[in-house]
Amino acid sequence: MMKVDRRTILCTLGLTAGSTLFPSLNRRAQAATAPKRFLVFYTYHGTLPQFLVPTAGTETDFTVNSLMKPYEAFKKDIVLLDNLDFKSWGATNPNPGNAHQQGQNHAMCAIRPVNAGLAGGPSIDQVIARGMNAKTKFPSLELGVTDNGSFPSYHNIAYSGSGQQMPSEGSPTKVWNSVFKGFMPAGGGSVPVPAVPDAEAVKQKSIIDYVKGEVDAVSKKLGSGDKARLDNHLSAVRDLENSLSLSGGGTGIVGAQGAGCAALPLPAGSGFNNYVDAQIKMIQMAFACDLTRVASLNVDELSHGTSGYQSVGGSSDVHDLIHRTSPDNGDLKGNADAVEVIRKYHLVYANVFQKLLTALTMTDVDGKRLLDNTIVLWAGEIAKGSHAYNDFKWMLAGSGGGAIRTGRWLKCNGAPHQNLFVTLARAMGVQIDKFGEPSTSTGALGLS
């Protein structure tokens, strides 16, 4: 490395006789531009559209239905995508596997699968992560929550390429050990710095820390006005360092850390609700600390909040009841008690979505909410309990820094869901013209 003496550094800081402060450093440096983030929220068994589709209204002025009530406060931040189709599934039919496997293979990858349990191409989150090429510690994070402790192999949603599955990690403890153990935000935190810093940490030490003694000596000789100017000047240098990742704390590469970036304690507790809270908190903080800009939260829940299903309609389990209450062909679609059980099942996911959006309202590096610079996609493997691959009701939240016009109930008229992926990639700065199965990828879905 090039050797630089203290006098040169002090001159650069404007602390020696005859040196002049840069005008741009005479006040706090301009706030770093917040990075864009992309998050997939993935759930199972579609929805009950009669409780999700708005009860009345227009594209920009609509009345939310019962399954949207938990996140009604975010109405201006969302886009309900009404009537998307898995046209890639039709183009590659017959597809191997059961109905859920087939939907799973097409949902995020939209291309002919390798086999029943493996999709045939990269998922949209990985295409975006690769295209963004963000210099973060983690190109992406794949997190999960399930009520039975594990994910069947075909429930993994992220793929780096054909047949190259990226498993969802359902253990908050394992995620914490991988992402946050020993992590120290640039502004400090509760996790102690290792006694012996690694060589890279030494190299990245702040310029201000390097000449701290001289800075303190100069500060004591200044009047109150000049001392305030010096404090502002040093703050500006700190801001500049942070934006260049020169004084990032802890492990890995740290970019534009948000005002809410903080060290996290080891997650405690067990069970569905605790796991949901822990995984959401880690996504929130991974975004705020710029440890990653792409993530997925894969939530698979079959019993939480739906007790008593056995006594309804002679059903054997919730999975069975989901299919039997499907509004198009379920034999129990007219049974109000049975339908109410499944409405509550889908309400569990709606409440998780509300928690996720709430977590993303923390302050971002540019003074806005994390949500304002993020695009959240709520997706799944089937449209409703009948295993339908058409008329999906997917959801977006956040504008991606203004790339998506939100507060809308958008009729998609059977557009290929691949077109949505083209639009999302472009909104994240990744220029693609097609995605997945070429014969059914016809361009972009208008969301701006």
Side-chain angles (χ1 to χ4, degrees), residues 12-30:
T12 301
L13 289 172
L15 300 178
T16 58
S19 62
T20 302
L21 297 180
F22 291 110
S24 61
L25 294 180
N26 216 5
R27 60 187 184 277
R28 288 188 61 85
Q30 291 183 346

Side-chain angles (χ1 to χ4, degrees), residues 22 32 53 69 97 104 111 122-123 125 192 205 271 340 362 396 400:
F22 291 110
V53 174
K69 283 289 184 182
Q104 193 83 352
I111 198 167
S123 53
D125 57 312
K205 186 177 181 181
E340 178 60 12
M362 65 184 296
L396 298 177

